[in-house]
Amino acid sequence: MNDWPEGFSGDNRGSRYGRGSSSAQPESARVMRQVRRGPAASPGQAGYGGAPAYGGGVPPQPSYVDGGGHGDYDSGYNTGQVYGSPGGRGPGGPGDGRYEPRPAPDWRRRIKVTAITLVTLLVVTSVGTYFWADSKLNREVDLSMVIDRPEAGEGTNYLIVGSDSRKGMSAEEKKKLHTGSAEGKRTDSMMILHTGGGAPTLISLPRDSNVTIPSFKGSDSGKLYPATGRQTKLNAAYAEDGPELLVRTVEANTGLHIDHYVEIGFAGFANIVDAVGGVEMNIPQDIKDTKSGADLKKGTQTLDGEQALAFVRTRYALRGSDLDRTKNQQKFLSALANQVATPGTVLNPFKLYPTMSAGLDTLVVDKDMSLFDLASMFWAMKGVSGGEGKSMNMPIAGNSPNGNLQWNTAKVKTLVNELKNDDPVTVSGD
């Protein structure tokens, strides 16, 4: 009889573990660790002498429920988290050491940097444009050559001249613009623009105005020519000795000090109009003039450079001849200034720079003229167009004995005094 417990029989360890037993069980039950998903076995389940009770269960195994395990083993079921989640240990999780959280964009700093960059770009562009434009001004008229000048008054007086200069024009351009090929230069229009504390005033000086040529110093020779009392048309002073004698003659016959001189020729005038895309005008009547080339219908329309030049030069087709022409010139120049000063031109570099280039290339100004003075002049012209100022002809009394237009001496004196004192103009040119 076997005194050993049945489970520890050397020959037969039970029906489940017997050697050679027909119902032999796999050894894995004794050698493989089991993953328990419940609490470990209690001490009461232990076998004889504290040894494992092989018949009643498996040896106590480490629990993996809380993410622990044998040694450093990680079952992957420790927390239930996925890679990259806040509590996980995959890439991007705390303690990974390979990736840092991406900081939120600092929008305040980005806006500040952008604003500074735009302001800097604007300043650089403005400064560059100023020096570019300033270098293109033709400062050819020396007003220091003008002698015996009247005392300057309040405000600023510009003498604006439209000449028939054909300088730089090809034969084809002369034919297209109906300018002819006459040598030398004459003035087709002359205006005084007064600016000051009040509304601007634009005064046309008819080219046929009767004036006395005063003593003057030759612009090229510097020679002093004494006065002889010679009377002639105003535009003859320009033809005789250019802008300096014209300024001297206007000052001597009016008593008004001229601060700045601005002149533009045929080609420059047409180019500016084309550069701004044409100028809208209300034509008061049908105009057909073979000499100027004008062929315009009554009504509102947009004039290109060729049409605009013909319009401001026409006088033979007008009832009032030169007096009506000066009124048309005032209307057109005011409309042109208004067109140039629109946001569509000023804020569009593809229109602004060609316009500035077309004008500055052909403008002739005095040596003291600055870009700010020129801008002030155009802004005042825009004011006249907008109804903020006044436009008129120099007051005329009738014809002089030589057939020229005679100024109304009393009205001219009142007008000049009002301009000198920068007072509102009360005189009418009609």
Side-chain angles (χ1 to χ4, degrees):
M1 183 169 184
N2 192 349
D3 295 330
W4 290 92
E6 180 181 353
F8 289 89
S9 170
D11 299 325
N12 184 6
R13 297 181 182 177
S15 61
R16 291 184 299 166
Y17 300 100
R19 293 180 182 177
S21 169
S22 61
S23 60
Q25 299 295 323
E27 294 291 325
S28 61
R30 290 185 295 159
V31 299
M32 294 182 64
R33 294 188 178 93
Q34 302 299 315
V35 177
R36 296 180 61 87
R37 301 192 181 276
S42 64
Q45 293 177 320
Y48 176 82
Y54 288 93
V58 296
Q61 301 296 321
S63 174
Y64 293 87
V65 175
D66 59 355
H70 186 74
D72 293 328
Y73 177 77
D74 186 351
S75 69
Y77 296 95
N78 54 337
T79 62
Q81 302 295 333
V82 296
Y83 279 84
S85 61
R89 297 180 60 179
D96 178 81
R98 289 183 293 171
Y99 301 97
E100 293 295 334
R102 187 172 185 176
D106 187 348
W107 290 108
R108 180 176 299 180
R109 181 176 180 276
R110 290 187 180 184
I111 293 174
K112 181 179 180 181
V113 171
T114 301
I116 292 175
T117 301
L118 291 176
V119 170
T120 302
L121 181 62
L122 179 62
V123 170
V124 171
T125 302
S126 299
V127 172
T129 299
Y130 177 87
F131 284 105
W132 167 77
D134 187 75
S135 67
K136 294 178 76 67
L137 275 180
N138 300 306
R139 295 184 173 93
E140 300 176 4
V141 180
D142 187 1
L143 295 183
S144 67
M145 299 289 291
V146 181
I147 62 174
D148 299 333
R149 309 193 67 185
E151 184 179 352
E154 300 293 329
T156 303
N157 298 310
Y158 299 84
L159 181 59
I160 304 172
V161 175
S163 75
D164 64 358
S165 172
R166 299 159 178 82
K167 182 179 179 180
M169 295 178 64
S170 64
E172 182 179 351
E173 289 174 327
K174 292 177 183 179
K175 181 179 180 180
K176 177 182 178 182
L177 298 177
H178 300 273
T179 65
S181 301
E183 297 296 328
K185 292 196 304 182
R186 283 155 296 278
T187 55
D188 262 20
S189 62
M190 291 160 284
M191 303 178 189
I192 294 175
L193 174 66
H194 174 82
T195 65
T201 302
L202 184 62
I203 306 163
S204 286
L205 309 176
R207 58 178 286 175
D208 293 339
S209 296
N210 190 61
V211 295
T212 300
I213 301 297
S215 60
F216 67 96
K217 183 186 291 187
S219 58
D220 292 329
S221 65
K223 179 182 177 181
L224 183 64
Y225 294 88
T228 62
R230 177 167 55 100
Q231 294 186 338
T232 185
K233 294 180 180 180
L234 180 58
N235 67 337
Y238 180 92
E240 187 173 330
D241 197 47
E244 288 83 2
L245 179 55
L246 178 60
V247 171
R248 168 69 175 133
T249 303
V250 170
E251 289 186 341
N253 284 265
T254 63
L256 187 67
H257 181 89
I258 300 299
D259 298 288
H260 292 294
Y261 178 91
V262 181
E263 177 187 326
I264 187 169
F266 283 163
F269 181 86
N271 289 340
I272 291 176
V273 174
D274 287 335
V276 298
V279 176
E280 185 177 280
M281 283 290 297
N282 183 16
I283 308 300
Q285 65 182 72
D286 290 347
I287 300 176
K288 190 173 183 63
D289 186 356
T290 57
K291 291 191 175 182
S292 68
D295 187 6
L296 304 170
K297 298 297 182 182
K298 179 181 179 180
T300 301
Q301 54 198 282
T302 299
L303 305 183
D304 60 20
E306 179 182 348
Q307 294 171 321
L309 183 59
F311 174 69
V312 299
R313 294 183 61 219
T314 295
R315 66 170 178 166
Y316 294 106
L318 305 176
R319 179 177 300 176
S321 188
D322 199 38
L323 293 178
D324 282 350
R325 178 170 70 167
T326 57
K327 293 178 181 179
N328 287 342
Q329 290 170 348
Q330 288 178 348
K331 292 177 182 178
F332 186 85
L333 289 179
S334 296
L336 175 60
N338 187 67
Q339 177 72 21
V340 171
T342 59
T345 299
V346 176
L347 301 180
N348 183 355
F350 297 102
K351 184 176 288 188
L352 175 63
Y353 285 97
T355 302
M356 292 179 65
S357 181
L360 296 174
D361 279 342
T362 55
L363 281 180
V364 176
V365 300
D366 64 272
K367 293 182 180 296
D368 294 328
M369 175 75 82
S370 70
L371 284 178
F372 292 108
D373 294 323
L374 197 59
S376 177
M377 184 195 77
F378 273 100
W379 197 259
M381 294 283 289
K382 181 179 183 294
V384 173
S385 174
E388 299 174 3
K390 182 173 183 176
S391 60
M392 57 181 287
N393 277 326
M394 186 66 82
I396 302 296
N399 291 332
S400 61
N402 58 8
N404 299 331
L405 295 175
Q406 187 66 48
W407 293 349
N408 187 317
T409 305
K411 285 188 175 182
V412 170
K413 184 177 180 180
T414 301
L415 173 62
V416 170
N417 285 335
E418 290 174 342
L419 295 178
K420 281 186 174 181
N421 296 322
D422 199 23
D423 293 331
V425 173
T426 61
V427 178
S428 172
D430 296 332

